[in-house]
Amino acid sequence: FSELVRRAVDDDSIKSVVLRIDSGGGSAFASEQIRQELLALKKSGKPLVVSMGSAAASGGYWIAANADEIWATPATITGSIGIFGAFPTIEKSLSKLGIFTDGVATTEVAGGLRLDGPLNPIVQRALQSGVEHGYQQFLQIVAEGRDMLPEQVDKIAQGRVWTGADAKQLGLVDQLGGLDEAIVAAATLAGI
């Protein structure tokens, strides 16, 4: 996808881009890679209009937030501005089977990510810190893209999802409409 965006930046025959998003989200890292390419597109002077399909949430919203215009249908599911992390352990399941483990470590965190034991509190705090940092980054991205303060975004974020109609009222979406309307908007922004 990043390569396609780079080609759009370099192709003088492309005057604006409509990005159709139909995604419930995914990796924050992957979303940020895509967002960086879209920021380069905007820096090139080409308008970016997002058209949300049935869902553009979490990572889908992460990449949409900096668009020049965001279009959604009234029923689009969007938002889900939040980050979560999970690290499953199976020590309780193993103990029910009569399987137990032990070991020797050279530091307090050695083996801290083993599945067969409880999560080390030091590692748990590090993972939680990473999640909290990612959430703050997400709030900042949305705040910058939607011309809001991070505190304003936090009030409507916290992982909650919204319909497109609600998202428009909250300032997360600019217009209600489908792909055809987004294409007209992109052409208008490009002056064609």
Side-chain angles (χ1 to χ4, degrees):
F1 182 80
S2 294
E3 177 57 33
L4 289 174
V5 176
R6 279 186 224 117
R7 278 193 254 158
V9 169
D10 295 335
D11 188 337
D12 291 336
S13 70
I14 296 175
K15 304 299 181 199
S16 64
V17 171
V18 176
L19 174 60
R20 179 71 166 182
I21 300 174
D22 200 351
S23 171
S27 157
F29 179 75
S31 299
E32 180 60 13
Q33 284 184 307
I34 294 168
R35 188 181 81 88
Q36 288 300 319
E37 295 297 336
L38 294 173
L39 289 173
L41 174 84
K42 285 184 58 175
K43 189 174 180 181
S44 76
K46 297 180 182 185
L48 171 64
V49 175
V50 164
S51 170
M52 294 179 165
S54 60
S58 191
Y61 195 81
W62 184 299
I63 65 175
N66 294 114
D68 293 302
E69 284 190 17
I70 299 175
W71 287 73
T73 70
T76 296
I77 299 300
T78 190
S80 191
I81 299 165
I83 302 281
F84 75 94
F87 188 82
T89 61
I90 59 171
E91 76 276 3
K92 290 179 183 176
S93 299
L94 291 174
S95 71
K96 286 182 181 182
L97 297 171
I99 301 171
F100 302 93
T101 63
D102 65 8
V104 176
T106 56
T107 70
E108 287 185 65
V109 294
L113 292 174
R114 289 180 51 166
L115 298 176
D116 59 353
L119 191 59
N120 178 306
I122 296 170
V123 174
Q124 185 177 0
R125 285 192 303 273
L127 292 173
Q128 184 62 36
S129 178
V131 168
E132 290 170 10
H133 173 76
Y135 180 63
Q136 292 304 315
Q137 182 182 11
F138 202 168
L139 292 179
Q140 190 62 41
I141 287 167
V142 175
E144 289 172 7
R146 306 309 301 156
D147 196 26
M148 301 168 98
L149 296 172
E151 297 79 20
Q152 292 173 299
V153 178
D154 186 47
K155 288 179 182 176
I156 57 176
Q158 301 174 24
R160 288 176 285 201
V161 294
W162 307 98
T163 65
D166 289 338
K168 184 176 185 314
Q169 289 180 341
L170 295 169
L172 296 175
V173 166
D174 296 303
Q175 301 292 338
L176 295 178
L179 180 59
D180 291 339
E181 290 88 354
I183 292 170
V184 170
T188 302
L189 287 172
I192 52 176

